[in-house]
Amino acid sequence: MDVAETRQALQATVREYRSLRQAINSAVRDDVLDDETLSRLKTKMEVLQENLRETCIEIDEWPQDLIDQRKARWWETENDSEQLSPSNQVLENPIEVFNDSATILATFSFLVPTVSLLSCIPAALAWTRASSAVGTVDDAEFYQLVSASAMQILSVATLIWPTVFQARLARSSRIWTWILACVSTCFAILAMLLYNRLPPSWSSLLSFGGSVAQALVTLQLVHLNSSPENKLGLVGHQSRS
């Protein structure tokens, strides 16, 4: 079964779940269900409700609970219980939120490559003016490099570890994020190892390359957090709290 067929199957399943809830609601209004039957139905509906919000996000539908377990009349739909519609829930103007996300994404998509390219100018000037003498572990610059590289590795780890394993990353985004993170980490380590084997300018160049890779990792995560699916997930989380 391909992605399109799976998506259609999920959409049909969600529609069946909601039709069942509406049928229960109608049956209660007609007074044809006793308390014991309602209790058994509630247990079954709670099972069906598991991961329903995540499923709705995957099929680009508004995430909402199938039932409200906190209420005595759990079978009532949102309209029956006079709850707010999705357009009024949590986000008073969802269009504005998505426009803000697009603006942030466009801004960072411009700033990160532009600043990275402009930063190459002072890096190149430093390269041309650097000494050709090999560095030693007694240099103060070596220990500054060690501390900067350690913080760079820590920053990369704290960026990707919670996000890659918990957020919804597309396969291509996941691969590029890991590649860039590994490049940044490897460059930071090589900069320290090569300091006393090559002129310090090589370590500076590697450290700069690692910083650029780290900036691109951040840009990948900005793309992720600005996507509509994650905004819907955030709204769903907020509406539950």
Side-chain angles (χ1 to χ4, degrees):
M1 181 179 294
D2 58 17
V3 175
E5 292 177 348
T6 302
R7 187 184 184 88
Q8 292 176 356
L10 287 174
Q11 289 173 336
T13 301
V14 171
R15 286 196 297 268
E16 290 296 328
Y17 286 178
R18 290 172 178 164
S19 298
L20 177 59
R21 181 192 60 187
Q22 293 172 359
I24 295 174
N25 192 22
S26 299
V28 172
R29 285 201 304 265
D30 296 338
D31 198 20
V32 297
L33 296 177
D34 56 27
D35 292 341
E36 183 179 353
T37 302
L38 281 174
S39 178
R40 291 199 300 267
L41 286 172
K42 180 181 181 182
T43 301
K44 295 181 183 297
M45 295 296 282
E46 288 173 347
V47 174
L48 295 179
Q49 182 162 278
E50 293 182 2
N51 302 320
L52 180 63
R53 283 180 173 269
E54 290 76 7
T55 302
C56 291
I57 294 172
E58 292 294 337
I59 61 178
D60 296 331
E61 292 189 8
W62 190 270
Q64 56 184 208
D65 289 331
L66 188 62
I67 62 173
D68 190 345
Q69 303 178 38
R70 299 167 299 180
K71 293 170 43 180
R73 299 177 63 84
W74 53 266
W75 56 84
E76 289 184 336
T77 62
E78 292 184 355
N79 290 335
D80 293 332
S81 58
E82 296 182 353
Q83 294 182 359
L84 293 174
S85 63
S87 61
N88 295 323
Q89 283 185 356
V90 182
L91 297 178
E92 296 181 357
N93 192 352
I95 295 178
E96 180 181 347
V97 172
F98 293 126
N99 285 339
D100 289 344
S101 299
T103 301
I104 294 173
L105 184 59
T107 301
F108 277 97
S109 296
F110 170 78
L111 282 179
V112 172
T114 301
V115 173
S116 297
L117 290 174
L118 291 177
S119 299
C120 292
I121 298 175
L125 293 174
W127 173 270
T128 59
R129 290 164 170 76
S131 172
S132 59
V134 177
T136 66
V137 294
D138 294 328
D139 295 344
E141 291 80 3
F142 173 73
Y143 295 100
Q144 293 175 349
L145 176 65
V146 171
S147 61
S149 297
M151 292 306 300
Q152 179 177 320
I153 295 172
L154 177 63
S155 298
V156 172
T158 53
L159 270 175
I160 70 166
W161 189 264
T163 306
V164 170
F165 290 102
Q166 295 181 14
R168 292 177 176 79
L169 273 176
R171 180 177 177 83
S172 59
S173 297
R174 185 185 299 273
I175 292 174
W176 279 113
T177 299
W178 276 109
I179 290 175
L180 292 170
C182 291
V183 168
S184 179
T185 303
C186 290
F187 278 16
I189 295 174
L190 284 174
M192 293 183 289
L193 296 178
L194 297 179
Y195 186 87
N196 62 342
R197 293 174 174 84
L198 295 172
S201 56
W202 285 97
S203 294
S204 300
L205 181 64
L206 288 171
S207 180
F208 173 73
S211 298
V212 172
Q214 180 182 350
L216 294 176
V217 170
T218 305
L219 182 59
Q220 287 284 334
L221 300 182
V222 170
H223 276 267
L224 165 69
N225 293 327
S226 299
S227 64
E229 291 82 359
N230 282 278
K231 288 295 180 183
L232 287 175
L234 176 61
V235 172
H237 173 76
Q238 290 176 339
S239 62
R240 285 198 298 268
S241 58

